[in-house]
Each structure stands twice: as structure tokens, then as C-alpha cells.
């Protein structure tokens, strides 16, 4: 799935969760603890990409809207087989200062479970990463397979969160990001403990905050509160949104939140590029945020930190 990176030598993604350390999630197995101590497989957030699947007819318009909104560059578009079974997809990498995008426009039916993975994480070594993921509680949905420039696999964290792991035969060298985006993960109250414990053990993440009464406006329910966990690791940032699943559209449809220097300026660029604003800008906690839909249907949260604009 990472074949498109072969076209680049320099490029420009993830994860914010919350204030609960691993000790706050009891029951970690000895195997998981061993993996945590010995297997730090992350490379850096500039190598983490959001996977976006769009119709081939919307492909070019979508890519153009990303660059117009966030700036950056693209790889050369090509048609590849990026799955272990026969398929063909248009594929292109979009590198922006605020996140990296892997864009796919399948010309054939999409083999299962491709299309359900949210992000791709570059790892230092594939076999070690798979062992660490499994030891810390993840399922291996797609065992590792070769592509022309490396290897790939798809794993599933507790709670049904799918992630692709990838590795390159020749290590890529991408430029760092100006601002690091966040992977936005919605889980239930029943799955959150297992998910967080597993991801913390795998990623060696630092828990940044755990707010049991975060403002509900962040999930489209202004009169309510909900639990929001944020963490950060070498993979990047993640926000875990713990909800009952009673989410008004488009909440829960976004997989990534993009931090920008100025939300108003970015939304102006986005609208000029055909991006629809689904949720008008609002202030919550430490950020101003909005929800948008790009041509082709991709939904994203965009935010700027209040402290950056004071």
C-alpha cells in the first residue's frame, strides 16, 4: 500500500490520547510488558499517512483541493497493485506541512479489508512490529506481504481500529512536519481500556491528558460532556473520543484532525478549492475547530490552537 512513496526522496503524520498511564489500565500481560520494553518500532510522524479512498473520477480534484488547502507537493500519480491479491488502483502521495496523505482510487473492486485501515505507520522492521502488535493485544488482519519497495501488513487494535504497518527496503528520508496531525479514534466505554492499554504498550506513548468531562460540542452535543483521552508518541498524536455512539453527522466520520496556524485562513483556502464546511468554526477547550468535507467525500477536522493566535 506504500508503493507510491517510491516516487519521493523527501516528504513530509500521528496520535493524541489522554492523561492515563499504562498503570491506569491494569491487566497488562507479561508478554505485552516485554514487548514494550524491547520493541520501539516507530520511526517518526512524518512517515505516518492518512489513507483516503476516493472514486477515480474524483481523484484529481480531491488531490488538488488538499494542496490548495494545506500547501505541499505530490508524488507522480500511477496505477499499481497495492494489495496481496489482484487489484488495481490509482495512487498518489500528498505531502503537506501539516500531514501526509496516501490517496487511492481503485479501478477494480477493493479486496477486503483494504479501505478500512485509517492510517499507515512506517516501522523499523516488519517482523518485530507484528510481534510487538500481537503481544500487546492487536489482531493481524492481513499478514505481511511484499510490495516492490518493501512489506506491508494490516493490524486491528481492540475496539476495531485498523492500522496499516509498512516497511521500505531502502529507508525513506522525509522532511519533518511543521505541525503534527492527530489520529481521531472513536471507541466505546467498553473498549477504551483495552484499546488504550494495547496502543500505549505498542507505541511507547506518553499520555497527555484524560478529561472525563470534555465539552460535548467537540462531538456535536453542545449540552453534554464526554471522555477525551490524548497521547503522543514517536508515531505522532492521537485523540481517543469515548462515546455512546450517539453521534450527529459528521462526527465519527473523520479519521484525522489537522492542526493549522490559522483556522480562518485555512478555511478560506479550502472553500475556494471546493471544500464544504460541515460544522462552522467553534471554540472548545484549547482550540478553535471546524469539520469539512473535501471533494470526493473525505471528512476531516481542522483546528488551530488558541494559544497560537494570542
Amino acid at each position: 500500500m506504500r508503493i507510491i512513496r517510491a516516487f519521493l526522496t523527501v516528504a513530509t503524520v500521528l496520535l493524541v490520547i489522554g492523561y492515563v498511564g499504562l498503570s491506569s489500565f491494569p491487566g497488562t500481560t507479561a508478554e505485552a510488558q516485554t514487548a514494550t520494553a524491547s520493541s520501539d518500532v516507530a520511526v517518526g510522524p512524518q512517515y505516518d499517512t492518512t489513507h483516503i479512498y476516493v472514486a477515480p473520477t474524483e481523484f484529481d480534484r480531491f488531490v488538488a483541493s488538499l494542496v490548495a488547502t494545506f500547501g505541499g507537493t505530490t508524488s507522480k500519480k500511477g496505477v499499481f497493485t497495492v494489495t496481496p491479491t489482484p487489484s488495481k488502483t490509482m495512487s498518489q502521495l500528498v505531502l503537506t506541512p501539516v500531514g501526509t496523505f496516501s490517496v487511492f482510487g481503485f479501478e477494480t473492486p477493493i479486496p477486503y479489508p483494504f479501505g478500512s485501515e485509517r492510517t499507515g505507520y512506517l516501522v523499523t522492521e516488519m517482523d518485530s512490529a507484528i510481534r510487538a502488535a500481537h503481544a500487546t493485544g492487536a489482531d493481524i488482519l492481513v499478514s505481511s506481504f511484499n510490495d516492490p519497495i518493501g512489506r506491508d501488513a494490516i493490524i486491528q487494535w481492540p475496539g476495531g481500529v485498523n492500522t496499516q504497518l509498512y516497511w521500505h527496503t531502502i529507508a525513506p528520508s522525509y522532511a519533518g512536519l511543521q505541525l503534527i496531525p492527530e489520529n481521531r479514534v472513536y471507541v466505546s466505554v467498553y473498549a477504551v481500556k483495552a484499546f488504550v492499554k494495547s496502543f500505549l504498550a505498542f507505541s511507547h506513548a506518553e499520555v497527555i491528558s484524560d478529561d472525563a468531562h470534555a465539552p460535548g460540542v467537540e462531538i456535536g452535543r453542545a449540552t453534554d460532556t464526554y471522555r477525551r483521552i490524548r497521547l503522543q508518541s514517536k508515531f505522532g498524536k492521537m485523540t481517543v473520543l469515548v462515546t455512546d455512539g450517539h453521534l450527529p453527522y459528521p462526527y465519527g466520520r473523520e479519521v484525522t484532525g489537522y492542526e493549522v496556524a490559522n483556522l480562518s485562513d485555512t478555511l478560506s483556502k479550502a472553500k475556494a478549492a471546493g471544500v464544504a464546511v460541515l460544522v462552522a468554526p467553534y471554540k472548545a477547550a484549547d482550540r478553535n475547530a471546524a469539520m469539512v468535507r473535501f471533494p470526493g467525500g473525505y471528512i476531516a477536522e481542522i483546528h488551530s490552537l488558541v494559544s497560537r493566535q494570542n
Side-chain angles (χ1 to χ4, degrees):
M1 205 56 125
R2 317 289 1 136
I3 294 175
I4 49 180
R5 288 188 172 81
F7 293 100
L8 294 169
T9 57
V10 179
T12 327
V13 34
L14 344 214
L15 281 121
V16 189
I17 293 187
Y19 161 78
V20 214
L22 186 58
S23 60
S24 301
F25 296 88
T28 305
T29 65
E31 183 182 23
Q33 290 170 340
T34 299
T36 301
S38 62
S39 302
D40 187 356
V41 297
V43 180
Q46 68 268 40
Y47 300 102
D48 304 334
T49 71
T50 300
H51 284 199
I52 302 167
Y53 290 68
V54 297
T57 54
E58 295 286 348
F59 193 99
D60 291 340
R61 184 170 172 235
F62 169 66
V63 169
S65 71
L66 285 179
V67 176
T69 299
F70 298 122
T73 60
T74 66
S75 69
K76 182 179 178 180
K77 181 175 68 173
V79 178
F80 307 101
T81 297
V82 297
T83 62
T85 53
S87 67
K88 285 192 179 299
T89 180
M90 289 190 294
S91 193
Q92 193 167 22
L93 191 66
V94 183
L95 301 124
T96 81
V98 299
T100 305
F101 304 78
S102 290
V103 186
F104 305 101
F106 270 79
E107 299 176 349
T108 60
I110 304 172
Y112 176 86
F114 294 89
S116 65
E117 80 282 4
R118 308 162 52 86
T119 50
Y121 288 164
L122 178 65
V123 295
T124 55
E125 202 277 324
M126 182 60 74
D127 291 335
S128 296
I130 290 175
R131 284 195 298 268
H134 184 258
T136 54
D139 190 13
I140 313 303
L141 294 186
V142 179
S143 297
S144 65
F145 61 95
N146 294 331
D147 66 39
I149 60 170
R151 298 171 65 195
D152 309 89
I154 294 180
I155 63 174
Q156 183 177 84
W157 307 107
V161 179
N162 293 355
T163 298
Q164 180 151 335
L165 305 178
Y166 75 96
W167 170 84
H168 281 177
T169 304
I170 300 174
S173 178
Y174 293 178
L177 301 174
Q178 292 180 12
L179 297 168
I180 299 174
E182 64 183 23
N183 192 339
R184 292 172 62 85
V185 177
Y186 286 76
V187 296
S188 73
V189 65
Y190 305 102
V192 61
K193 180 184 291 187
F195 172 77
V196 172
K197 180 179 74 173
S198 179
F199 189 80
L200 284 175
F202 176 78
S203 66
H204 298 235
E206 175 188 2
V207 180
I208 304 302
S209 65
D210 185 0
D211 188 347
H213 301 286
V217 66
E218 297 176 352
I219 57 171
R221 291 162 51 174
T223 61
D224 298 328
T225 61
Y226 77 107
R227 184 182 179 190
R228 186 213 320 113
I229 310 170
R230 289 179 174 165
L231 66 82
Q232 187 162 356
S233 73
K234 195 186 295 184
F235 284 116
K237 297 179 179 180
M238 180 179 282
T239 292
V240 178
L241 304 101
V242 186
T243 80
D244 57 10
H246 298 183
L247 300 168
Y249 180 85
Y251 295 93
R253 296 293 183 184
E254 83 284 8
V255 298
T256 304
Y258 300 95
E259 182 183 346
V260 296
N262 187 291
L263 178 62
S264 178
D265 289 350
T266 300
L267 291 180
S268 294
K269 295 174 184 176
K271 287 186 282 189
V275 178
V277 177
L278 301 179
V279 177
Y282 61 90
K283 183 180 182 300
D286 61 345
R287 63 176 57 177
N288 296 309
M291 299 279 282
V292 302
R293 183 181 62 233
F294 287 83
Y298 175 61
I299 294 172
E301 190 254 24
I302 303 177
H303 63 271
S304 58
L305 298 185
V306 173
S307 59
R308 291 185 183 275
Q309 298 186 12
N310 289 338

